[in-house]
Amino acid sequence: MSKMSVVMSLNRRPFLINERLIRIICIFLCINAYSQNTPDFASPSSMTFDFVQRKSSDMLAEDLVSSGRMAFAAPDRIRWEYLAPYPSLFVMNGARVLVENADGRKIMDAKSAGAYSRVAGMIMPLVRGDFSAGKASGFKTEVTDGGGFWRVELVPVKSGARRLFRRVVAEIDKELGVAVKVTVDEGNGDTTVITCTNIVLDIKVDERLFEF
């Protein structure tokens, strides 16, 4: 298989949706890890940002770069959308989940969602500022001062989580109180870096973004 075939395969294969969901969890874990250690910040009622995701792997001759946009509205709605190079979409609205990519469109409820439902159970308490859920999941957390940002490092303690990722490091903007850069060292040796820009907090988010 050529390098180009590997790149196209990595973008299109369904298991990447699961990897992407793990990275969503990591972002919100990091955001709320800091908010729980600093009383100056509260969990936002809504949030939108653009992101660029860069994945490095021994399987690739060059980094795999994708970009998209995220929207969140309290208490339990998330839209994580990849716009380039291959569009794909994950939307969670309460107990319902939508996954849409090159393989088609799938809508699930809490009963049929399986892993997605478990993901929802992990994400939402953290988005609401309940970091006790993160501690219960077995993450060792360290917060250090990086100058213009706080550096939050999360290391999973449980073996199941370590198979997914070895470490997550977030840079938390001191003024906004949210992650502007997240580095995920994955369990398979790959590294993914997500950089967030155009971050907007506590605004009215179009309800149609979460409808399906």
Side-chain angles (χ1 to χ4, degrees):
M1 181 180 291
S2 68
K3 293 289 186 181
M4 180 59 71
S5 297
V6 171
V7 171
M8 294 179 66
S9 176
L10 285 171
N11 274 279
R12 294 173 183 271
R13 284 161 62 183
F15 79 88
L16 275 185
I17 288 292
N18 289 327
E19 290 184 351
R20 290 168 179 171
L21 291 176
I22 293 300
R23 293 178 189 122
I24 295 171
I25 293 171
C26 293
I27 289 173
F28 284 109
L29 277 168
C30 294
I31 290 171
N32 289 277
Y34 177 65
S35 70
Q36 291 300 308
N37 282 277
T38 304
D40 295 337
F41 297 112
S43 296
S45 62
S46 67
M47 173 168 42
T48 63
F49 59 73
D50 300 323
F51 67 86
V52 174
Q53 176 178 300
R54 183 177 297 272
K55 180 184 180 73
S56 60
S57 171
D58 290 340
M59 296 178 63
L60 300 173
E62 59 185 29
D63 290 352
L64 183 63
V65 180
S66 55
S67 60
R69 186 162 178 79
M70 192 284 300
F72 159 73
D76 54 9
R77 289 164 294 173
I78 291 177
R79 179 186 179 94
W80 187 273
E81 184 173 13
Y82 288 85
L83 300 174
Y86 301 103
S88 60
L89 177 65
F90 166 75
V91 180
M92 183 164 57
N93 190 333
R96 300 178 69 236
V97 172
L98 166 69
V99 176
E100 187 173 294
N101 55 27
D103 296 314
R105 175 184 172 97
K106 187 173 184 179
I107 297 176
M108 296 164 281
D109 57 23
K111 184 177 181 180
S112 62
Y116 297 106
S117 180
R118 291 191 292 273
V119 166
M122 293 175 65
I123 292 175
M124 287 310 169
L126 297 160
V127 175
R128 292 192 291 265
D130 180 9
F131 192 56
S132 60
K135 292 178 181 177
S137 299
F139 293 93
K140 179 182 177 182
T141 306
E142 182 179 354
V143 181
T144 56
D145 192 338
F149 61 90
W150 293 101
R151 182 183 184 274
V152 178
E153 179 175 340
L154 292 172
V155 177
V157 175
K158 295 185 178 180
S159 59
R162 287 201 304 268
R163 285 195 294 269
L164 296 172
F165 52 89
R166 293 178 290 127
R167 184 180 66 161
V168 180
V169 177
E171 295 179 8
I172 309 294
D173 184 279
K174 285 188 175 180
E175 293 186 6
L176 293 175
V178 297
V180 294
K181 183 178 180 181
V182 178
T183 301
V184 183
D185 294 328
E186 300 178 30
N188 61 1
D190 295 352
T191 298
T192 298
V193 179
I194 300 174
T195 304
C196 306
T197 58
N198 301 321
I199 300 170
V200 182
L201 305 177
D202 298 317
I203 62 166
K204 177 67 176 178
V205 179
D206 189 344
E207 297 288 339
R208 293 173 294 182
L209 291 176
F210 310 105
E211 293 177 354
F212 55 90

